[in-house]
Amino acid sequence: MAFLKMKELVRRSERVKSLHVHPTEPWILLSLYSGTVSIWNYESQATEKSFKVTESPVRSAKFVPSKHWIVIGSDDGYLRIYDYGTSEKVREFKAHEDFIRCVAVHPTRPCILTASDDKSVKLWDWEKDWICCRTFEGHSHYVMHLAFSPEDNDSFASASLDGCLKIWTIDSSIPKFNIEGHSKGVNFVEYYFSNADNKLYLLSGSDDCTAKVWDYETKSCVHTLEGHNHNVTAIFAHPEFPVVITGSEDKTVRVWSKVTHSLETTLDLGLGRIWAIGYIRASKQVAFACDEGTITAKIFNSGELD
C-alpha cells in the first residue's frame, strides 16, 4: 500500500496549466492561464524568473536544458522560445491556427512537437531555423496531449477529444495505428515500461471520467481505472513505486496500484482542479499544477516515515 503525504511546498497563484521539472536544477517551470511562465525554485520556495509572454493563456511550456531554453505554446497559436539564463526571447512565430495544447521535446534530436486545436501535430527542427519538418493529421477533434515512447524515441502518441489515441513515428505523416475505447474525448496520454512483466503500456485519461491502461503490443485495454467523478486531466506512472497517479477536474488525485489496479489513496489537494503532474526525482516528490497554484507531495509505503 502507498499513500501521499503533503509537504509544506505550496505556491499559491492563478491557474497553472502545466508544469515541467528541470533535470538538474531545483526548478519547476509553470505555465499560467494569464499568459505568464514562471520558474519556481522548490528548494528555496521562491520564484527564480517570470516571463509575461502573451495576453493569451499558456497551456504548455517545457525546458530544453541542452540549449538553456524554455519553449512555450499558447492560445494565440504562437510558439515562443526564451533563454532562461539571459531572459531574452530567442524566437517567436505562428505555429498553428488555433490553441497550442501541448509541447513535447524530443529526447535526443533537435526538434519539438506541438499539438493544437486545429487538429494537427507539427514537428519543428531548431537546427534548420525552426522549419516545420512534418505535419501529422488524422485526428477529427482537438489534439490535447503528446508523449514520446521510452523504448523508441522517434515514436510518439497523441491524445485527442475525438476519443482516439494515435501512435506515430516522426519520419511519417501516417499513423502506425489507432487505439480506441474511451466513450468521450481523451485529454492525456503517457507511456510506462513495466519491469514486472517486461512490457510497454500506455495510460490515457478521458472526459468519460476514467483512465485506461493499454497493452502497447496488443493494443488492448487491460484495465479501466474508475472512481473520478469528473474529467481525468493528468496521469503519472511513478518510476520508483508500483503506482499510477491520476488528477481530475473533480479536484482530487488518486493513487492506483500498477499490479492490482486497485485504488490505494484519494486526496483533495485543496487547490481546485488538477491540470498536470510532475516528478522531482532528487527529492522523490510529486508536483501538481492546479487552478489555485502548485503543491508537492511525497509517496510512502505503509509504515515508512519521512
Side-chain angles (χ1 to χ4, degrees):
M1 178 70 72
F3 63 94
L4 283 172
K5 179 180 179 181
M6 306 314 300
K7 308 293 287 185
E8 295 302 319
L9 296 179
V10 182
R11 180 186 186 273
R12 290 195 173 270
S13 70
E14 62 198 277
R15 190 187 308 178
V16 184
K17 296 303 296 181
S18 76
L19 60 80
H20 189 222
V21 180
H22 196 283
T24 57
E25 301 289 346
W27 297 343
I28 301 176
L29 177 63
L30 308 173
S31 66
L32 305 180
Y33 194 78
S34 66
T36 299
V37 295
S38 295
I39 299 175
W40 181 42
N41 188 315
Y42 54 81
E43 289 184 351
S44 66
Q45 300 188 51
T47 298
E48 292 279 337
K49 292 190 177 182
S50 185
F51 305 82
K52 176 70 174 181
V53 298
T54 175
E55 295 302 318
S56 300
V58 175
R59 297 183 188 270
S60 186
K62 296 289 174 63
F63 286 114
V64 185
S66 62
K67 303 294 291 185
H68 288 196
W69 287 346
I70 300 167
V71 291
I72 303 159
S74 54
D75 282 9
D76 58 11
Y78 275 79
L79 191 66
R80 295 175 174 89
I81 301 91
Y82 281 80
D83 185 310
Y84 60 70
T86 65
S87 303
E88 294 179 355
K89 186 189 297 181
V90 175
R91 193 69 183 267
E92 174 185 88
F93 58 91
K94 184 82 167 180
H96 289 273
E97 294 305 313
D98 212 328
F99 295 1
I100 297 176
R101 293 279 179 175
C102 183
V103 175
V105 182
H106 193 284
T108 56
R109 295 199 192 194
C111 48
I112 68 166
L113 293 169
T114 53
S116 172
D117 282 8
D118 66 13
K119 307 174 188 177
S120 74
V121 177
K122 293 185 179 183
L123 178 71
W124 309 90
D125 189 324
W126 68 69
E127 286 192 349
K128 297 179 179 178
D129 198 30
W130 290 98
I131 66 167
C132 180
C133 302
R134 185 159 283 105
T135 300
F136 307 88
E137 297 177 311
H139 282 296
S140 59
H141 209 312
Y142 305 161
V143 186
M144 302 295 287
H145 197 252
L146 304 165
F148 280 105
S149 169
E151 285 198 329
D152 175 7
N153 291 160
D154 288 342
S155 178
F156 69 93
S158 59
S160 170
L161 290 191
D162 62 14
C164 181
L165 300 174
K166 290 182 182 291
I167 309 301
W168 316 75
T169 63
I170 63 171
D171 298 321
S172 174
S173 58
I174 300 172
K176 293 171 63 178
F177 57 86
N178 300 336
I179 295 177
E180 298 183 60
H182 283 289
S183 62
K184 292 185 178 180
V186 185
N187 298 306
F188 202 92
V189 62
E190 187 62 274
Y191 290 87
Y192 83 87
F193 186 82
S194 171
N195 292 320
D197 54 13
N198 202 37
K199 293 178 70 172
L200 186 65
Y201 291 91
L202 279 168
L203 299 167
S204 59
S206 170
D207 286 347
D208 65 14
C209 305
T210 73
K212 289 183 181 290
V213 184
W214 306 89
D215 184 308
Y216 184 82
E217 184 176 349
T218 65
K219 309 174 187 60
S220 61
C221 177
V222 297
H223 205 84
T224 299
L225 307 179
E226 298 179 284
H228 285 292
N229 56 35
H230 213 309
N231 305 343
V232 178
T233 49
I235 306 178
F236 173 70
H238 200 286
E240 298 183 48
F241 285 93
V243 296
V244 168
I245 304 172
T246 54
S248 168
E249 289 190 50
D250 66 12
K251 305 179 183 179
T252 70
V253 295
R254 296 179 182 238
V255 181
W256 313 79
S257 168
K258 284 183 185 176
V259 179
T260 65
H261 301 112
S262 60
L263 178 63
E264 299 198 349
T265 303
T266 301
L267 190 65
D268 187 335
L269 303 181
L271 290 174
R273 295 171 294 181
I274 292 88
W275 299 111
I277 305 170
Y279 183 51
I280 306 172
R281 192 170 300 275
S283 64
K284 299 184 179 180
Q285 293 182 61
V286 182
F288 300 92
C290 311
D291 270 345
E292 299 172 28
T294 309
I295 190 169
T296 64
K298 195 168 184 179
I299 293 182
F300 298 87
N301 284 322
S302 294
E304 183 180 353
L305 300 177
D306 189 2

